[in-house]
Amino acid sequence: MPEPIAVVDYGMGNLASVAKALARLGYEARLTSDAQTVSRAEKLILPGVGAFGAAMANLRKLDLVEPLQEYCASGRPFLGICLGMQLLMTRSDELGDWDGLGVIPGEVSMFFKDSTPPLGIKIPHIGWNSLEIVRNTALLRGIQDNANVYFVHSYHANPPADAIAATCTHGQTFCAALSLDNIHAAQFHPEKSGAVGLRILRNFCEMQPQ
């Protein structure tokens, strides 16, 4: 049996769906809010659903900010999902002005922050949409261009161009997945994205430390 995949439980993640998807792949999810368990993990997933500021407050309350930052710097495989991707950024303007984990430089902003969405474009962005593969990274190995995945979000991350692995267009083009060294993340929910999502999760589970 492979070593369990540590999944951070900070009160804002879709943990059951992530654990079920990992189980389908033959991996056990070790749900944890313990800083030492996070620090010792061989592979770590940071999921998330909800508001950026509340998420960072919960991580601070659980003393998980520094362990997460140190883990990301360790070279071991890390996967952020949805809000978990956004938390990697330097800051967010979601309902205020919040500092993020600062693992990857960049800001989180709302769709059409300074403009009106085009006719027919609804915010939040909910449902299936296609990926445009920008780089053939380890996370997206075997994923075809225009593969469909499932999104639920009103905000999106703006990382450096060299970190972007895939984009998506919902009235505007945004970063849908990123990979930078051992750090990987998806704005969509691979655990809810059928066979494509399971392949992405398997790719992550098979990664080795850098």
Side-chain angles (χ1 to χ4, degrees):
M1 183 75 177
E3 182 72 15
I5 309 296
V7 180
V8 183
D9 179 4
Y10 60 107
M12 300 186 70
N14 193 7
L15 303 180
S17 294
V18 174
K20 184 176 180 180
L22 291 175
R24 288 189 63 183
L25 296 171
Y27 292 85
E28 177 187 353
R30 176 178 292 164
L31 309 183
T32 183
S33 57
D34 176 68
Q36 290 188 355
T37 302
V38 167
S39 296
R40 294 194 301 263
E42 292 188 6
K43 295 182 177 72
L44 187 67
I45 297 177
L46 180 66
V49 177
F52 191 103
M56 286 302 302
N58 286 3
L59 291 176
R60 290 191 185 93
K61 184 177 180 180
L62 294 166
D63 293 322
L64 288 175
V65 171
E66 287 189 11
L68 285 169
Q69 292 168 332
E70 291 170 358
Y71 180 95
C72 288
S74 73
R76 288 168 287 169
F78 175 94
L79 177 64
I81 296 176
C82 196
L83 179 58
M85 171 175 168
Q86 296 175 11
L87 293 172
L88 294 172
M89 300 295 110
T90 308
R91 61 175 296 278
S92 172
D93 61 9
E94 182 178 1
L95 304 176
D97 188 2
W98 310 100
D99 290 332
L101 293 172
V103 171
I104 294 178
E107 299 184 353
V108 177
S109 58
M110 188 176 186
F111 278 104
F112 304 102
K113 176 182 176 181
D114 299 316
S115 62
T116 302
L119 187 65
I121 298 297
K122 296 182 179 180
I123 307 300
H125 174 208
I126 300 176
W128 296 83
N129 209 332
S130 59
L131 297 176
E132 180 179 348
I133 307 300
V134 175
R135 291 188 293 125
N136 293 317
T137 66
L139 184 68
L140 300 178
R141 186 177 71 252
I143 303 302
Q144 299 298 313
D145 206 26
N146 295 317
N148 286 319
V149 291
Y150 189 80
F151 292 87
V152 182
H153 63 125
S154 297
Y155 288 75
H156 60 91
N158 298 282
D162 62 354
I164 298 173
T167 61
C168 180
T169 299
H170 182 67
Q172 67 183 71
T173 300
F174 63 93
C175 176
L178 63 81
S179 291
L180 190 63
D181 300 323
N182 61 306
I183 309 301
H184 307 273
Q187 180 60 70
F188 55 91
H189 287 271
E191 76 280 8
K192 294 183 178 182
S193 296
V196 171
L198 287 176
R199 176 59 191 263
I200 290 170
L201 288 174
R202 182 180 294 281
N203 287 344
F204 173 74
C205 292
E206 292 177 348
M207 290 180 185
Q208 299 300 316
Q210 295 191 0

